[in-house]
Amino acid sequence: MTRSSTDGSADLEAVTAVLPRIRIGGERRAPAAAAASPSVAAVPREVVFQARGVGVSYGEKRAIAGVDLDIPRNLVTAIIGPSGCGKSTFLRSLNRMNDTVPGFRLDGQVLYHGHDVYGPGVDRVEVRRRIGMVFQKPNPFPKSIYDNVAWAPRNLGLREGLDARVERALRGAALWDEVKDRLKDSALGLSGGQQQRLCIARAIAIEPDVLLLDEPASALDPIATLAIEELMHTLKQRYTIVIVTHNMQQAARVADRTAFFSLDVSGSDRVGTLVEYDTTEMIFTRPADTRTRDYVTGRFG
Amino acid sequence: MGVRPSDRAGDTLLRGLCATAAVAVIAVMVDIAYQVLHGSHQALSKFGLGFLVHTTWRPNFDVFGAGSFLYGTIVSSLMALLIATPLAIAIALYLSLMAPRGVRSIVGSLVEMLAAVPSVVIGFWGILVLSPFVRDHLEPWLHGAFGFIPLFGPPQTTGSSTFTAGLILTIMVIPIIASVSRDLFDTVPQELQDGAAALGATRWEIVRGVILPSTASGVAAAAFLGLGRALGEAIAVTQVIGAGTGIHASLFATGDTLASRVANEFAGATSTLHTAAIFYAAAILLVIGLSTNLFAQWIGRRFDPSRLVAR
Amino acid sequence: MSTTEVDFTAPLVATGNLRRRHRVSRAAEGLALGSSVAAVAVLGIIVAYVVVHGAGALSLDFLTKEPSPGGGPGGGIAPAIVGTGLLVGVATVIAMPIGVLVAVYLTEFAGPAAARPIRLALDLLNGLPSIVVGLFVFGLLVVGKHQSGFAAAFALSIIMLPLIARSTQEMLGLVPRQLREAADALGVSRWRTVLTVVLPSAAGGIVTGTVLAVARAAGETAPLIFTSSIFGNRVTLDLLGTPIPNIPVQIFTLSETPDPSGYERAWGAAFVLLSFILVANIGARALLTRSRKKMGR
Ligand SMILES: Nc1ncnc2c1ncn2[C@@H]1O[C@H](COP(=O)(O)OP(=O)(O)OP(=O)(O)O)[C@@H](O)[C@H]1O
Ligand SMILES: [Mg+2]
């Protein structure tokens, strides 16, 4: 394995390995103490995703290899790294969005609450119902604002109290006040930032477990970006969030944990690997790996 | 750098030739309209718009009305459109979204091959293969099951019927609608489909919720193109429809369409009025053909794939 | 407040209504697959009938002999084969230069205002029922005179013209802008650029479009029944004076007679016609894929 783990994440692994798996029902509550914790090892947390030696290839091209990573519940985990290092690839393999890409192959294991996401008998529609995703480019449906949000609940048969659900989702995405008077208007008339928040509203309307965000603010202006970042803080009360970002300040502002991916040159191939994973504070102040230090200080990538 | 005289002459010549060709195209189109209207002049002034509703067509008595042909045209084409559109959309969805790559190109080409089969061959096959089958199996069964609906009256002995014509037209328009729709479905951005998939939607929900609504006007345009083709098809229809006159409620009766009648009667035009009546029928066809075409373009233009993606 | 009661720690199998939604989706997918299979099957059935019955009629005599006198059994369709070749050949000679020139005009010279009516005319021409085209040529060239091979070829050329123009135009649109700019930068005049750079690099598309148009015209019957349907057994080169025998009308007239001995010859003729058309289509498509690839698409 090419992974150069820090002491911290090695400890986390050790801790989570001995933890009895905690059962949770519908009720969810954010454990309060952890966010401020200086070290991953300090407080054990429930783990939502465990990536075990995850490698992904597209046909002949190997995109990532040997990624081991545990993603804890109700935190914001950021994935940073230079372009092409496989951030999106990794994120999309968490909810099987890569399945339709021709030539996609995954080895290793992605465990979600202990279940292999790629195991036999897994229903990928169910996977995506539990693990929502927001993309880099806002992609609202060419429908009304209301219908964008109501579409997935309707599919799921959640017709009861639909209006309230739509409102809740739009409030949850901090968009309600801006659109409440024009719910029947086309979503394509919204600004880019509003569209992206609509996409978040659309995703949380069915109350998933996890939100995966792939550079959700990269196409937005600074003010819209700020709105999305503030949203992260409230959303993590309820959801486990994994966010890919190019923007290191953004990772520093919103994330509790940060994973740094980089391109490993092995022969003529450049393959994405996980270099370091720790609390955001550690990654940005005392990174263990020189590559991380070079990247976060802007000397590289 | 001076322009060589030979270059200037060459440019002018090429430009002139091209412009002449372009003008020729427009002239041909205009002349077609003129000739057809001009040819129908005598019948137009004699029968006026009554031609469209009168159903007697008696060349020997110089009495002409195209009502029943107009009816047959509309009924057979609508039938074809109603059957073909859903099937063609289903085929296009299969090709665009489901088919594995190798299958996709093969089946796609085969469907387009179906469009390349000449109408005279389809019609000939229709006479010898489809008509007897329809007469012996399909029509009796439909009559038995749905005979209470006047459309499904008692089958005739020949197998020639408006129904058979409708089926032949269905075969002919499916590939047209399917290939245009497939191209449309291919333009739906992957991001939209991913967005729907990420919300835990099934494949059908993605189709119904995202793909069909965003391509609806384009698919409607495709259907109109198909309709235009069905309305104007002469040969294959002539071969299987049975050249009947009069308006019958039953699809299983013989009938005729404008195009089919034009094709059928021309060799034996008995009088100048007869000739003019046939031109008149073709003029109706021309008007219907041009308007479906323009209408298809008009709705098609309202479909713009770039509108589907946010800025 | 209603919440979704999902136990996220449960195994990743369908919950809630998902099983039913999957059934609906599978049913829809089944219909899509079934429709495609049906369409291919219809093509297969038609081709199979033509091949099975047509092959029975096929022989060297059938391809090389004239029909037996009086239309009885035996004999061949050689005049119709040659005649169709001749008609389509003449139609191509008329349609191809005009089609290409129109396409060049649209892509190289015309501004948007000039291009619009031309595009419209091409689209309308393309959507015109071919029987109307036949009637038009009848009114223009046949009425008061007589049927002729030229009238038939002219009618076919009107069918071919928009097809050639459109595919040429598509291909010209793919010619990289840099190619033209490079020529301009070298001070090469427009007509030289068009003739030596633009048209050659679009040659694949022009040929493809023409082959497809030829395949289409070869099978057209409606434009011919007014213009070249009353023919004998002779193909003459007197195109202006006499109608020319041809396969589509031959099949049509044989199919309209109740005499079953004619059916066998009609199947045979259909076989010849369909083989030509399908081979031309496959060839054209292969060529198109190749020339698109060459232009980096
Ligand atoms: N659909 C695909 N087919 C083939 N290769 C792909 C595909 N998607 C990504 N790749 C390749 O996988 C590697 C990782 O790509 P990925 O998009 O995951 O990187 P990224 O870190 O998200 O980059 P960026 O920051 O630019 O978004 C790249 O080399 C890319 O070319
Ligand atoms: Mg990315």
Side-chain angles (χ1 to χ4, degrees):
Chain A
M1 265 195 297
T2 52
R3 173 168 168 260
S4 61
S5 61
T6 64
D7 295 342
S9 61
D11 284 353
L12 174 73
E13 207 172 305
V15 171
T16 50
V18 295
L19 266 179
R21 186 148 290 128
I22 309 165
R23 289 197 55 86
I24 344 139
E27 191 222 2
R28 25 216 14 255
R29 194 162 41 80
S37 156
S39 163
V40 174
V43 178
R45 281 185 158 273
E46 188 198 346
V47 171
V48 175
F49 284 110
Q50 295 165 284
R52 293 279 171 269
V54 169
V56 173
S57 326
Y58 299 109
E60 293 295 289
K61 161 117 186 83
R62 205 151 173 67
I64 52 174
V67 176
D68 286 280
L69 184 66
D70 287 1
I71 295 172
R73 219 185 116 162
N74 289 83
L75 290 186
V76 177
T77 302
I79 299 174
I80 61 170
S83 190
C85 68
K87 305 182 295 294
S88 302
T89 296
F90 178 72
L91 196 71
R92 290 166 65 93
S93 47
L94 297 181
N95 70 338
R96 297 192 58 165
M97 282 306 292
N98 276 330
D99 283 23
T100 46
V101 177
F104 166 76
R105 218 183 63 244
L106 179 133
D107 33 52
Q109 266 193 330
V110 179
L111 301 180
Y112 166 74
H113 292 299
H115 306 294
D116 186 350
V117 171
Y118 291 83
V122 167
D123 186 328
R124 64 175 177 226
V125 175
E126 180 66 28
V127 170
R128 294 171 189 154
R129 184 258 167 280
R130 298 189 197 178
I131 308 167
M133 187 165 201
V134 174
F135 300 81
Q136 174 167 2
K137 214 168 137 208
N139 57 355
F141 303 133
K143 300 174 184 292
S144 72
I145 294 168
Y146 183 94
D147 285 340
N148 260 275
V149 182
W151 188 70
R154 277 193 190 121
N155 286 341
L156 292 172
L158 306 170
R159 282 156 211 277
E160 209 175 301
L162 191 57
D163 290 356
R165 178 178 289 276
V166 169
E167 177 175 345
R168 200 151 13 102
L170 286 168
R171 281 191 194 282
L175 189 60
W176 174 252
D177 291 330
E178 290 158 72
V179 301
K180 62 170 184 268
D181 298 324
R182 47 170 173 150
L183 292 174
K184 296 274 168 260
D185 291 4
S186 167
L188 302 185
L190 296 174
S191 75
Q194 290 173 325
Q195 288 184 355
Q196 197 61 302
R197 277 177 285 147
L198 180 66
C199 291
I200 294 174
R202 188 171 79 176
I204 62 179
I206 53 172
E207 299 169 84
D209 183 27
V210 181
L211 279 180
L212 307 177
L213 307 168
D214 192 351
E215 305 194 37
S218 70
L220 308 182
D221 63 43
I223 293 173
T225 302
L226 195 65
I228 301 269
E229 287 178 8
E230 281 172 356
L231 199 50
M232 298 292 103
H233 290 292
T234 47
L235 285 173
K236 76 173 182 189
Q237 313 287 321
R238 224 190 136 96
Y239 302 100
T240 301
I241 295 175
V242 188
I243 178 171
V244 168
T245 174
H246 249 116
N247 178 330
M248 276 172 290
Q249 285 76 30
Q250 185 169 69
R253 282 192 299 262
V254 302
D256 304 294
R257 305 283 163 86
T258 297
F260 171 62
F261 279 61
S262 174
L263 278 167
D264 244 24
V265 182
S266 67
S268 61
D269 264 10
R270 288 149 62 86
V271 180
T273 50
L274 173 64
V275 173
E276 186 167 352
Y277 176 45
D278 209 322
T279 61
T280 301
E281 198 187 335
M282 287 292 280
I283 292 282
F284 282 95
T285 55
R286 277 163 290 156
D289 196 291
T290 51
R291 286 170 294 174
T292 315
R293 185 163 39 232
D294 289 348
Y295 186 76
V296 298
T297 54
R299 248 176 286 168
F300 161 88
Chain B
M1 215 177 347
V3 182
R4 276 179 291 173
S6 70
D7 278 352
R8 203 173 314 139
D11 279 356
T12 315
L13 185 66
L14 181 65
R15 206 193 166 97
L17 275 175
C18 290
T20 312
V23 169
V25 169
I26 295 177
V28 165
M29 187 56 232
V30 172
D31 198 27
I32 288 175
Y34 169 77
Q35 285 287 343
V36 172
L37 289 177
H38 178 75
S40 58
H41 175 75
Q42 198 186 344
L44 200 61
S45 56
K46 175 131 195 235
F47 304 115
L49 288 178
F51 189 73
L52 303 180
V53 289
H54 289 297
T55 58
T56 353
W57 182 276
R58 291 235 183 94
N60 296 338
F61 300 90
D62 258 0
V63 177
F64 301 99
S68 64
F69 310 141
L70 193 58
Y71 175 81
T73 303
I74 292 168
V75 169
S76 58
S77 299
L78 275 187
M79 173 183 155
L81 196 68
L82 288 179
I83 304 175
T85 306
L87 287 174
I89 292 174
I91 293 168
L93 287 172
Y94 174 77
L95 290 175
S96 177
L97 303 170
M98 291 169 58
R101 258 193 292 182
V103 176
R104 181 188 152 101
S105 62
I106 293 173
V107 173
S109 323
L110 288 177
V111 171
E112 293 193 358
M113 290 288 158
L114 189 54
V117 178
S119 35
V120 71
V121 173
I122 294 193
F124 180 53
W125 174 82
I127 296 175
L128 294 189
V129 183
L130 188 65
S131 288
F133 175 80
V134 166
R135 178 193 60 206
D136 297 339
H137 302 286
L138 212 48
E139 288 183 351
W141 180 76
L142 282 170
H143 180 61
F146 305 103
F148 57 92
I149 306 172
L151 280 179
F152 305 113
Q156 313 266 304
T157 49
T158 57
S160 296
S161 65
T162 308
F163 183 74
T164 313
L167 287 182
I168 289 286
L169 289 176
T170 305
I171 295 174
M172 301 180 77
V173 300
I174 278 180
I176 298 173
I177 305 177
S179 75
V180 178
S181 304
R182 183 254 275 259
D183 290 348
L184 288 168
F185 297 153
D186 284 348
T187 64
V188 176
Q190 186 64 38
E191 302 133 62
L192 278 187
Q193 304 182 40
D194 282 354
L199 293 168
T202 63
R203 185 126 66 167
W204 167 242
E205 286 161 355
I206 298 175
V207 166
R208 210 201 45 189
V210 177
I211 294 176
L212 290 181
S214 40
T215 50
S217 58
V219 172
F224 262 89
L225 282 182
L227 179 66
R229 175 73 199 272
L231 291 166
E233 176 55 39
I235 298 299
V237 172
T238 287
Q239 286 168 292
V240 298
I241 202 168
T245 49
I247 291 179
H248 307 279
S250 172
L251 290 175
F252 301 156
T254 57
D256 217 346
T257 70
L258 290 166
S260 153
R261 176 57 50 149
V262 171
N264 213 1
E265 286 224 341
F266 215 85
T270 51
S271 65
T272 52
L273 188 62
H274 190 185
T275 309
I278 288 162
F279 267 98
Y280 194 172
I284 302 170
L285 214 50
L286 180 82
V287 171
I288 299 178
L290 292 189
S291 35
T292 42
N293 209 299
L294 288 174
F295 191 64
Q297 286 190 33
W298 180 72
I299 11 184
R301 217 173 302 122
R302 292 182 19 194
F303 171 80
D304 172 9
S306 65
R307 272 190 347 185
L308 299 179
V309 212
R311 63 208 68 230
Chain C
M1 191 165 112
S2 77
T3 39
T4 51
E5 313 275 327
V6 183
D7 176 8
F8 292 121
T9 61
L12 291 164
V13 293
T15 60
N17 63 355
L18 184 52
R19 230 179 286 274
R20 185 178 55 76
R21 290 160 59 212
H22 272 313
R23 272 199 302 274
V24 172
S25 189
R26 268 195 298 272
E29 287 169 37
L31 285 178
L33 176 63
S35 307
S36 305
V37 170
V40 172
V42 167
L43 175 69
I45 291 171
I46 294 175
V47 170
Y49 267 99
V50 172
V51 168
V52 169
H53 291 277
L58 224 56
S59 65
L60 197 60
D61 280 0
F62 186 73
L63 295 176
T64 56
K65 289 253 163 66
E66 290 181 5
S68 51
I77 57 161
I81 296 177
V82 176
T84 282
L86 184 62
L87 292 181
V88 174
V90 173
T92 309
V93 168
I94 302 172
M96 186 166 160
I98 300 182
V100 172
L101 285 174
V102 171
V104 170
Y105 186 72
L106 283 173
T107 47
E108 305 288 325
F109 298 113
R116 246 185 116 190
I118 301 165
R119 285 225 175 81
L120 182 68
L122 285 173
D123 283 343
L124 292 181
L125 222 43
N126 190 37
L128 216 55
S130 52
I131 191 85
V132 174
V133 173
L135 203 58
F136 157 68
V137 175
F138 175 85
L140 193 69
L141 298 176
V142 178
V143 142
K145 299 174 206 107
H146 44 75
Q147 293 193 342
S148 70
F150 176 75
F154 183 60
L156 291 180
S157 74
I158 296 177
I159 307 278
M160 296 175 71
L161 180 60
L163 300 175
I164 297 177
R166 184 192 288 174
S167 62
T168 304
Q169 200 200 329
E170 245 167 48
M171 220 47 177
L172 290 178
L174 292 184
V175 175
R177 180 158 292 272
Q178 297 96 293
L179 226 58
R180 294 192 182 104
E181 281 165 3
D184 282 350
L186 292 172
V188 180
S189 69
R190 195 60 167 279
W191 70 278
R192 273 183 219 275
T193 312
V194 169
L195 292 188
T196 60
V197 178
V198 176
L199 282 180
S201 52
I206 299 173
V207 174
T208 305
T210 308
V211 172
L212 286 177
V214 163
R216 163 86 186 275
E220 279 291 342
T221 316
L224 304 183
I225 54 174
F226 302 131
T227 50
S228 188
S229 59
I230 307 160
F231 47 73
N233 285 335
R234 276 279 139 73
V235 178
T236 66
L237 288 177
D238 176 20
L239 284 177
L240 290 172
T242 50
I244 303 291
N246 57 81
I247 307 178
V249 172
Q250 183 98 64
I251 299 173
F252 182 66
T253 34
L254 287 173
S255 80
E256 294 285 273
T257 54
D259 170 20
S261 79
Y263 290 162
E264 199 190 346
R265 270 182 298 147
W267 281 120
F271 181 79
V272 172
L273 185 61
L274 196 59
S275 313
F276 169 73
I277 288 171
L278 293 189
V279 167
N281 261 280
I282 293 167
R285 256 164 245 282
L287 192 69
L288 188 68
T289 323
R290 242 190 50 194
S291 52
R292 282 235 173 95
K293 233 177 242 151
K294 234 170 48 197
M295 306 218 348
R297 304 279 154 155

